[in-house]
């Protein structure tokens, strides 16, 4: 179990799975820059992340911008939305102080684009689900994505494989953060879509281990 002082931002697990160096630049060095993709994402979440918003559709209730955390993972953050479905069972359900009865919670994550070919988005959704599970001592079998480009929902199973990836990422994040060492650059196709490419300089820094090495290779030739 991690202490409150050791908690890291939950949103960072997607950055870390995409690129540990990107995560370290953002969360250790506090570096950030925007591009079209990040701005589009911010616009979408501006309309989603309202903590005072409540929506009722039939018997279903949607809560927005819910604070969640896991002491086991050492992560804390905000879920875009949590949908509550009425249940007659006490198993894997929760009680909400404003709504009588028992409710089955499902995490909903909003994305501005479309599904990715890798599991980066699924890892973030799984981490949020694991936080909610720990908070209420329940098990949740699936979560939901809403992709802005597709304009429809996609159900995702919270598998054991995804859970193991989340645990591994969380452990590695804490290890890197504790050492405060920025991982080396590994240039690839993903770099062209990264808003930090001009800060990271992956083509230049991927083989540089020290400042002297960088200067020798790029200034003193």
């Amino acid at each position: 179990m991690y202490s409150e002082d050791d908690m890291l931002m939950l949103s960072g697990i997607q950055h870390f799975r995409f690129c540990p160096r990107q995560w370290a630049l953002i969360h250790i060095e506090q570096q950030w820059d925007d591009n079209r993709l990040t701005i589009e994402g911010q616009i979408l979440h501006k309309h989603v992340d309202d903590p005072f918003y409540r929506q009722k559709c039939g018997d279903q209730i949607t809560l927005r911008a819910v604070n969640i955390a896991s002491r086991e993972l050492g992560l804390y953050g905000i879920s875009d939305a949590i949908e509550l479905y009425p249940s007659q069972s006490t198993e894997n359900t929760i009680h909400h102080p404003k709504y009588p009865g028992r409710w089955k919670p499902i995490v909903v994550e909003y994305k501005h684009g479309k599904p990715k070919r890798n599991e980066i988005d699924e890892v973030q959704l799984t981490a949020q689900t694991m936080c909610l599970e720990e908070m209420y001592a329940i098990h949740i079998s699936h979560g939901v994505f809403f992709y802005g480009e597709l304009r429809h929902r996609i159900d995702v199973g919270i598998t054991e494989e995804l859970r193991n990836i989340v645990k591994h990422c969380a452990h590695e994040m804490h290890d890197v953060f504790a050492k405060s060492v920025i991982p080396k650059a590994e240039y690839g196709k993903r770099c062209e879509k990264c808003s930090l490419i001009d800060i990271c300089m992956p083509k230049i820094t991927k083989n540089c281990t020290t400042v002297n090495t960088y200067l020798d290779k790029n200034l003193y030739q």
Side-chain angles (χ1 to χ4, degrees), residues 181-215:
V181 176
I182 307 301
K184 294 180 181 179
E186 296 182 8
Y187 181 77
K189 291 183 179 179
R190 63 184 178 180
C191 296
E192 301 303 324
K193 295 183 178 181
C194 178
S195 65
L196 299 185
I197 187 170
D198 292 332
I199 296 172
C200 174
M201 298 185 293
K203 290 183 178 180
I204 296 175
T205 60
K206 65 178 180 179
N207 295 319
C208 295
T209 57
T210 66
V211 173
N212 288 336
T213 301
Y214 174 84
L215 294 175

Side-chain angles (χ1 to χ4, degrees), residues 7 9-10 22 24 47 53 68 73 96 116 124 127 132 136 140 178 199:
M7 301 288 273
M9 292 181 63
L10 173 61
Q22 183 203 61
H47 298 287
Y53 177 89
I68 54 178
L73 297 174
H96 193 284
K116 298 177 178 61
Q124 184 182 18
L132 199 61
Y136 290 98
I140 302 173
I199 296 172

Side-chain angles (χ1 to χ4, degrees), residues 93-111:
T93 59
I94 69 172
H95 169 72
H96 193 284
K98 291 187 177 181
Y99 308 106
R102 303 296 300 185
W103 302 90
K104 191 175 184 66
I106 301 295
V107 176
V108 181
E109 177 68 14
Y110 286 76
K111 298 294 181 185

